[in-house]
Amino acid sequence: MGGPVVLGIESSCDETGAGIVRDGELLAHVVASSMDEHARFGGVVPEIAARAHLEAFNPVVRAALERAGLRLGQIDAVAVTTGPGLSGALQVGLAGAKSLAYAAGVPLFGVHHLAGHVAADTLEHGPLPTPCVVLIVSGGHTSLLLVRDLVREPILHLGDTLDDAAGECFDKVARILGLPYPGGPAIDRAAREGDPRTVDFPRPLTRPGDDPYAFSFSGLKTAAARWAEKHRSRGAEVPVADGAAALQEAVADVLTRKALAACRAHDVRTLIVVGGVAANSRVRGLAEQRCADAGVELRVPPLTLCTDNGAMIAAVGDLLVRSGAEPAPLEVSIDPSAPLEYASLTPLPSDGGRTVAAGGRRLLVRPGV
């Protein structure tokens, strides 16, 4: 029979995802992306994203249930992203998840989006080692975390991005180089034909005295823009492939250098790299090389689980259910800018605070406290 079956819903940005997990095993997951609709604007348009979630929600959930060979009545819990993300997009996912939980008569769990990225690795490699260092790299987030028990203990931030995240840097520089949106995959493709040694881009916050775990990619973006403008100002063609390769090398160097430093400082033998930028070939390749040299185990989810998806939210829900955590109240809302403190995120609109669950206990965290 197995344990409880958890349906996960993700709608924080431009992907509508539904995943089904039981006892850490992925039974099915389906993603519908509205990326093509945003591409002509060079970035995600919140109103378009929200409308796309409305259109995709029911078909995606139905497809996930069909792939798992299940009916809604066989679901034991529903988990949904309640933050951070685009407000309208989150509202669509939460409203749909509430309807499903009510129709099935099962508990609902609010999940922090970034905790979902961390949990995605468990679907491929099993339970997280205790402790482990996690590097989250995506379009809006670059963070180094020390994780012990993902759903029972607070998550320790070793360092975060101070301005542009790694994925945001890729998107912005891709536009400067005339590459299509989304910029990450476009930079990766272009870099295959380039030589990273031809351009000496800076490695931000890697000098002695800098914060060893903080990230900043705004200056790197500016350096790439000035490099491209230098070529254009003298009427020369911009060597896009070389620029892409050099940019990718700089980002990968900074990310992996700081992640391995965190592993050494905290005597951790496992590094987990998650998020959309974890799909980048050079980030993966350099992480593999440096982890092997340092004797650190590297874990990276499959490409299909690196980008936003419902499976990762179901994975957190599965862990919450098995830990005995209390479900979200009926009035649970969203928090579009929620910091990652706990895997469970159940904002309440009435008190201006965030309610999170840890180890089955309920904790109210008020802004500024």
Side-chain angles (χ1 to χ4, degrees), residues 188 275-281 284 300 303 306-307:
D188 204 351
V277 179
N280 179 271
S281 63
R284 283 177 174 247
V300 185
L303 296 179
C306 284
T307 52

mmCIF file of all heavy atoms in Angstrom, residues 188 275-281 284 300 303 306-307:
data_model
loop_
_atom_site.group_PDB
_atom_site.id
_atom_site.type_symbol
_atom_site.label_atom_id
_atom_site.label_comp_id
_atom_site.label_asym_id
_atom_site.label_seq_id
_atom_site.Cartn_x
_atom_site.Cartn_y
_atom_site.Cartn_z
ATOM 1 N N ASP A 188 24.391 29.269 -22.383
ATOM 2 C CA ASP A 188 25.004 27.939 -22.361
ATOM 3 C C ASP A 188 25.243 27.420 -23.775
ATOM 4 O O ASP A 188 26.316 26.885 -24.096
ATOM 5 C CB ASP A 188 24.101 26.967 -21.587
ATOM 6 C CG ASP A 188 24.859 25.773 -21.024
ATOM 7 O OD1 ASP A 188 26.044 25.597 -21.371
ATOM 8 O OD2 ASP A 188 24.269 25.019 -20.249
ATOM 9 N N GLY A 275 18.163 24.395 -8.362
ATOM 10 C CA GLY A 275 17.651 25.593 -9.014
ATOM 11 C C GLY A 275 17.923 25.568 -10.502
ATOM 12 O O GLY A 275 18.684 24.742 -11.007
ATOM 13 N N GLY A 276 17.293 26.494 -11.216
ATOM 14 C CA GLY A 276 17.381 26.492 -12.675
ATOM 15 C C GLY A 276 18.785 26.583 -13.220
ATOM 16 O O GLY A 276 19.121 25.952 -14.233
ATOM 17 N N VAL A 277 19.668 27.364 -12.573
ATOM 18 C CA VAL A 277 21.037 27.524 -13.065
ATOM 19 C C VAL A 277 21.858 26.262 -12.828
ATOM 20 O O VAL A 277 22.927 26.083 -13.426
ATOM 21 C CB VAL A 277 21.694 28.768 -12.429
ATOM 22 C CG1 VAL A 277 23.123 28.964 -12.897
ATOM 23 C CG2 VAL A 277 20.876 30.017 -12.770
ATOM 24 N N ALA A 278 21.364 25.351 -11.985
ATOM 25 C CA ALA A 278 22.037 24.066 -11.809
ATOM 26 C C ALA A 278 22.007 23.247 -13.096
ATOM 27 O O ALA A 278 22.746 22.273 -13.236
ATOM 28 C CB ALA A 278 21.388 23.277 -10.674
ATOM 29 N N ALA A 279 21.162 23.651 -14.039
ATOM 30 C CA ALA A 279 21.122 22.974 -15.336
ATOM 31 C C ALA A 279 22.243 23.441 -16.257
ATOM 32 O O ALA A 279 22.499 22.816 -17.295
ATOM 33 C CB ALA A 279 19.768 23.227 -16.015
ATOM 34 N N ASN A 280 22.935 24.526 -15.893
ATOM 35 C CA ASN A 280 24.009 25.044 -16.736
ATOM 36 C C ASN A 280 25.170 24.052 -16.805
ATOM 37 O O ASN A 280 25.651 23.587 -15.769
ATOM 38 C CB ASN A 280 24.489 26.389 -16.185
ATOM 39 C CG ASN A 280 25.622 26.980 -16.992
ATOM 40 O OD1 ASN A 280 26.785 26.708 -16.727
ATOM 41 N ND2 ASN A 280 25.287 27.792 -17.987
ATOM 42 N N SER A 281 25.641 23.770 -18.003
ATOM 43 C CA SER A 281 26.656 22.728 -18.180
ATOM 44 C C SER A 281 27.977 23.066 -17.505
ATOM 45 O O SER A 281 28.643 22.188 -16.942
ATOM 46 C CB SER A 281 26.885 22.467 -19.669
ATOM 47 O OG SER A 281 27.390 23.624 -20.324
ATOM 48 N N ARG A 284 27.685 22.787 -13.639
ATOM 49 C CA ARG A 284 27.746 21.371 -13.273
ATOM 50 C C ARG A 284 29.167 20.824 -13.414
ATOM 51 O O ARG A 284 29.691 20.126 -12.538
ATOM 52 C CB ARG A 284 26.791 20.547 -14.146
ATOM 53 C CG ARG A 284 25.324 20.652 -13.748
ATOM 54 C CD ARG A 284 24.457 19.855 -14.710
ATOM 55 N NE ARG A 284 23.077 19.821 -14.267
ATOM 56 C CZ ARG A 284 22.445 18.728 -13.856
ATOM 57 N NH1 ARG A 284 23.069 17.577 -13.839
ATOM 58 N NH2 ARG A 284 21.190 18.774 -13.464
ATOM 59 N N VAL A 300 23.279 16.715 -7.661
ATOM 60 C CA VAL A 300 22.525 17.667 -8.486
ATOM 61 C C VAL A 300 21.308 16.924 -9.034
ATOM 62 O O VAL A 300 21.452 15.826 -9.588
ATOM 63 C CB VAL A 300 23.368 18.209 -9.660
ATOM 64 C CG1 VAL A 300 22.598 19.292 -10.416
ATOM 65 C CG2 VAL A 300 24.708 18.758 -9.167
ATOM 66 N N LEU A 303 17.939 17.316 -14.825
ATOM 67 C CA LEU A 303 17.588 18.597 -15.438
ATOM 68 C C LEU A 303 16.103 18.911 -15.308
ATOM 69 O O LEU A 303 15.723 20.066 -15.096
ATOM 70 C CB LEU A 303 17.993 18.602 -16.909
ATOM 71 C CG LEU A 303 19.498 18.500 -17.201
ATOM 72 C CD1 LEU A 303 19.746 18.490 -18.702
ATOM 73 C CD2 LEU A 303 20.251 19.644 -16.545
ATOM 74 N N CYS A 306 15.382 20.552 -11.990
ATOM 75 C CA CYS A 306 16.114 21.756 -11.615
ATOM 76 C C CYS A 306 15.235 22.997 -11.736
ATOM 77 O O CYS A 306 15.258 23.875 -10.865
ATOM 78 C CB CYS A 306 17.360 21.920 -12.496
ATOM 79 S SG CYS A 306 18.717 20.806 -12.062
ATOM 80 N N THR A 307 14.477 23.085 -12.808
ATOM 81 C CA THR A 307 13.586 24.229 -12.990
ATOM 82 C C THR A 307 12.325 24.033 -12.153
ATOM 83 O O THR A 307 12.092 22.964 -11.583
ATOM 84 C CB THR A 307 13.232 24.416 -14.463
ATOM 85 O OG1 THR A 307 12.735 23.171 -14.990
ATOM 86 C CG2 THR A 307 14.464 24.822 -15.263
#
